[in-house]
Amino acid sequence: TAAPPGSGTSPSRAVRRVANAMERYGLPVDLPALDTAIRDHAQRVATGADDLGATLALLRDLRSTVRRDGQCRVTWSPGSTVTGRWSSKPGVQNLPKSLRYIVAAPRGRVLVCADLVAADLMGAAACSGDPALRELAEQRDPYRALAAEVLDVPNAEVGSEQRNAIKRFALSAIAGAGFARHAEVLGGVADAARCRQAWAKACPGVS
């Protein structure tokens, strides 16, 4: 496993081997699609779409790392963020979902996508020893289950926006965020107070 966030130590050899392999093989990129996206975003930023500036910068960074073989060579830093997550240069993990079609397998090959379900919750459960959090993390969709508990509604009635808001809250709570950050994530002081109370009740070992 990677080193604890903020520990200043290097990740394990196994984790570094994974990062090295990812750097060596690169990330296949659809160059025409990437160039089109850069032109489109540049035009929109030029007309005042300031919120797209960061995305445009990311796309340009991505383009600068593409080699002749069509692969983007990304530098990965395991466990380098304050929350213990990986970071990369360029920050391809921040590529918006609407632009992920840019990463495309070459002809005759396919991309395989894998995701660690609730890795943050599982890590927090292991570190805290909180059985309630572990039970929550092992559910099929732990963030929907948590949203249902916080909002006091059945799972089936939890909308995607509600689920995602509670997910952001849970991740910020695990990372040690305070009340102001929770209010920002949830869009209001009242919601933050309610969520913090429900979180403390649901996962007392983490609160």
Side-chain angles (χ1 to χ4, degrees):
T1 58
S7 65
T9 58
S10 300
S12 70
R13 260 184 280 181
V15 172
R16 189 62 256 178
R17 281 200 300 269
V18 172
N20 288 342
M22 292 168 66
E23 292 173 4
R24 183 167 65 252
Y25 290 107
L27 198 67
V29 172
D30 184 336
L31 273 179
L34 175 55
D35 288 338
T36 298
I38 290 175
R39 286 195 300 270
D40 176 60
H41 279 68
Q43 290 173 357
R44 294 168 67 185
V45 169
T47 57
D50 294 335
D51 59 319
L52 295 178
T55 301
L56 175 59
L58 172 58
L59 291 173
R60 285 175 170 164
D61 284 347
L62 186 62
R63 182 66 175 85
S64 70
T65 62
V66 178
R67 298 184 183 176
R68 291 182 179 179
D69 60 2
Q71 303 283 323
C72 168
R73 290 309 191 275
V74 180
T75 301
W76 294 94
S77 300
S80 60
T81 69
V82 69
T83 58
R85 289 192 165 204
W86 289 35
S87 65
S88 66
K89 187 177 181 180
V92 291
Q93 76 273 25
N94 295 322
L95 194 64
K97 288 184 178 180
S98 61
L99 290 172
R100 291 181 186 175
Y101 64 86
I102 289 170
V103 179
R107 187 184 299 274
R109 295 181 179 271
V110 296
L111 281 176
V112 177
C113 178
D115 187 19
L116 295 174
V117 178
D120 301 87
L121 291 183
M122 289 296 289
C127 291
S128 67
D130 187 333
L133 182 57
R134 183 175 185 85
E135 183 179 346
L136 175 69
E138 290 176 344
Q139 296 196 39
R140 183 166 186 173
D141 187 342
Y143 298 114
R144 184 174 297 277
L146 179 60
E149 187 164 346
V150 169
L151 301 172
D152 194 23
V153 297
N155 267 25
E157 294 182 14
V158 176
S160 58
E161 289 187 9
Q162 293 171 316
R163 177 203 179 269
N164 291 336
I166 295 300
K167 177 180 179 179
R168 291 193 298 271
F169 165 79
L171 294 179
S172 67
I174 289 172
F179 187 86
R181 175 57 180 163
H182 292 158
E184 179 185 343
V185 165
L186 295 168
V189 171
D191 287 339
R194 186 174 75 247
C195 284
R196 285 166 64 92
Q197 186 177 13
W199 172 261
K201 182 179 179 182
C203 308
V206 185
S207 307

